[in-house]
Every structure is written in C-alpha cells, then in structure tokens.
Amino acid sequence: MRCICFRNIIELDEIDSTNKYVKTSAEKLPEGTVVFSDEQTAGRGRMDRLWYGKKGKSIFASFLIKNIYDNLDAVRLSFLFSIALKTFFSKYISYERIRLKWPNDVLIDNKKISGILSEYSKECVIVGIGINVSDFEPDGDIEKPWTTIQTESGTEPDMNALRSELTEAVNGVFMRYCTNQLTDFPKIWFREADIRDNTVTVDSGGNSFTGRVKMIDDNGALVVEDSSNGEIKTVYYGDITINDQF
Ligand code: BTN
C-alpha cells in the first residue's frame, strides 16, 4: 500500500451523506481528502440501512483513496480504518473495553459506538465513518444497542479536537502499515479484534447458522466452522452476533 496522508480537510455545514458527496466529487478532489460535515441528513450504513446522528453530537466523515483497481481493496482498506478507530477511542475509553466487530463496527460493552461504510467507485475507495459522540435523540429506530463517547467516558469532548484526532489516528495507521500489502489488512485486524474461536451466529441474506470463528481470509471474509455439521463456511457479507450478545 502507498503511504497516504490525509491532509486536505473539507468541512461542510450540512450534506445528505459525506460518502455520497465524496463519491460524486472524487474526480475533482485530491487523494488524501477527508470530508467532515456538521450535519448529515441522509446518512447511510451497511446493508442499505440508515445511519442516524445529530449536529454537534456526531462525527460524519469520509476519506478518499484514489487509484485502487480492485473492488475488494475497498473491503481490505476498511479494516485499516477500524484499527485506527481503536486508537482514536482509546484517548477517551480504556483500551480493553473497545472491541472490534466484523466487519467494521466498534463496540463498547456490546453497544455500537461507531460504524464504517466503505465503497468502491471509479477506481476510488471512499471510507465513511460515523461516530456517536454525545447523547442524542435519533430520528428513527436504531435496531441494536448503541452508545456514545459521552456516556462511556463521562465527558463531552470537543468536536474539533475529535476531528483532528480521528485524522491523526488514520494517518498513524497508514504510516505504520504502508509497507504492508492491502491483502495483509484483514489479518492485522483479526489479531486486534481477537475473535478467533468465538461463537458467532451469522446472518447473511436470511441464511443463519451458528459456528466458531476460525480465521479471516485475504478478502476480509470470515471463515466459520458450522457447529451443526463441522462444515467450514466463508462469510463474505452479512451480520454476525458474537456469543449471543450483539
Ligand atoms: C454502519 O455501521 O452501517 C456504517 C455506518 C457509516 C456511517 C457513515 S457517517 C459518514 C458516512 N456517510 C454516510 O452516509 N455513511 C457514512
């Protein structure tokens, strides 16, 4: 992977979705652009879900990486951003409480605090990050338990500080791992996430089974041994529940 430094920072007041904005303006934007928006009116999550947040209480950010020729690299890169988030949160929440959940969620005591939506479009990867900073009333239903930095740390951090800390954390992992291949990133994430042998229930497109996590492959797919018959299954897409908890 090339060493990329995100230093072209764009700050918007309001946008439908920072990912959509970066995707549609990618040709005009240099690599290493990060777009932050105070407010996001139509934020999107994985699996066509909506992503909720509030002005002054959430971080909405999208990072642009150019000259990527394999759409699987969008997935591989997303793991690097998850690792950066662990460093980012550790300033506010103790490191042992921060858990990474496949593929890209960050959880604190089984509650989601951040999510990543990585997209591939026209030889670009757009990595969108949503972070729950302070407690807010969401405009719609958030299906699973969630939390905020404020709840978990007892402080309401400064939004500007958070933005630069996030950018720094991302630049830090790019510096650290830029001599690695993109195909190494899922395995680096797997070590950080520490989920080998965890029992998970996998739900991908209506098919559900329970099994034990064996490894992650170079494409970021989770390899799970089905408990009912010992069959090894590769999960490319979907949601998992770890130990019946989240
Ligand atoms: C998920 O957990 O499902 C991923 C959520 C990603 C949300 C972020 S907020 C900034 C960027 N713009 C979007 O529309 N989505 C991502």
Side-chain angles (χ1 to χ4, degrees), residues 15-21 35 37 40 42-52 58-63 104-106 112 114-119 126-131 239:
I15 196 76
D16 47 1
S17 149
T18 54
N19 263 37
K20 193 169 157 204
Y21 175 87
V35 174
S37 181
Q40 193 173 243
R44 291 172 305 115
R46 288 178 62 243
M47 327 243 311
D48 287 329
R49 296 190 182 112
L50 297 173
W51 180 262
Y52 297 107
S58 312
I59 296 258
F60 308 110
S62 295
F63 293 74
N104 293 134
D105 291 349
V106 182
K112 183 158 166 171
S114 174
I116 294 180
L117 175 67
S118 176
E119 300 185 272
I126 299 104
V127 181
I129 298 183
I131 297 171
D239 281 322

Side-chain angles (χ1 to χ4, degrees), residues 73-184:
D73 287 342
V75 178
R76 296 178 179 125
L77 276 162
S78 67
F79 289 103
L80 202 56
F81 283 78
S82 293
I83 296 167
L85 281 174
K86 204 164 173 188
T87 308
F88 165 81
F89 283 113
S90 65
K91 179 166 180 212
Y92 300 94
I93 300 161
S94 66
Y95 203 70
E96 315 77 63
R97 296 181 65 212
I98 309 165
R99 292 200 60 198
L100 303 180
K101 182 183 171 231
W102 186 86
N104 293 134
D105 291 349
V106 182
L107 309 182
I108 311 293
D109 300 335
N110 292 312
K111 292 185 222 109
K112 183 158 166 171
I113 196 161
S114 174
I116 294 180
L117 175 67
S118 176
E119 300 185 272
Y120 183 69
S121 159
K122 300 193 195 130
E123 299 177 355
C124 291
V125 174
I126 299 104
V127 181
I129 298 183
I131 297 171
N132 304 328
V133 176
S134 306
D135 304 346
F136 65 93
E137 219 28 80
D139 289 337
D141 229 22
I142 302 183
E143 240 178 74
K144 295 223 175 168
W146 59 284
T147 190
T148 63
I149 300 180
Q150 183 186 22
T151 302
E152 301 304 329
S153 70
T155 54
E156 210 171 342
D158 176 70
M159 293 299 276
N160 285 326
L162 288 176
R163 286 179 177 188
S164 45
E165 286 158 10
L166 176 63
T167 313
E168 262 169 47
V170 171
N171 285 337
V173 288
F174 268 88
M175 221 149 71
R176 178 157 180 209
Y177 295 112
C178 65
T179 53
N180 282 87
Q181 307 291 317
L182 280 158
T183 45
D184 296 337

Side-chain angles (χ1 to χ4, degrees), residues 190 194-200 211-215 223 225 242-243:
F190 193 68
D194 196 22
I195 54 165
R196 188 190 302 273
D197 287 331
N198 278 15
T199 300
V200 291
R212 202 177 270 264
V213 176
K214 291 284 141 205
M215 59 170 254
V223 179
E225 185 185 57
I242 306 175
N243 300 330

